[in-house]
Amino acid sequence: LSMRGRIKMRLKEYKGAALDFDRAITYEPDNPDHYFSRGMLYNATNEARKAIADFTKMTGLAKDDPEGYFHRSMAYFKMKELD
């Protein structure tokens, strides 16, 4: 489901991608890749708060993965709420 969501995201089928990522998270709630992918979707659709929430969840599951921290900071930058 996550891979299908990524394909839909590249095709700019954002609603379908969101549904796929939501389902993937339902089936595998401890998989950080699903939160990362959905966070990227939220960044692409200018939903920074949702992106931050997903990147925060992702970094909680994969503390050593710098991608989540980087993209979360970029979402904060979009919101102009830098700490």
Side-chain angles (χ1 to χ4, degrees), residues 3-36:
M3 184 59 71
R4 187 172 70 184
R6 289 180 192 161
I7 292 168
K8 288 180 181 178
M9 199 167 101
R10 287 186 185 161
L11 296 172
K12 298 187 179 184
E13 295 176 13
Y14 297 128
K15 288 182 183 179
L19 289 173
D20 286 341
F21 295 140
D22 290 346
R23 287 185 192 127
I25 289 169
T26 298
Y27 293 123
E28 293 182 299
D30 294 329
N31 187 328
D33 293 334
H34 302 326
Y35 294 97
F36 178 78

Side-chain angles (χ1 to χ4, degrees), residues 49-60:
R49 290 187 195 283
K50 289 181 179 180
I52 290 165
D54 275 351
F55 292 134
T56 298
K57 179 68 173 180
M58 183 252 183
T59 57

Side-chain angles (χ1 to χ4, degrees), residues 30-48:
D30 294 329
N31 187 328
D33 293 334
H34 302 326
Y35 294 97
F36 178 78
S37 295
R38 193 172 67 178
M40 294 300 288
L41 170 70
Y42 289 144
N43 261 345
T45 58
N46 294 317
E47 297 178 80

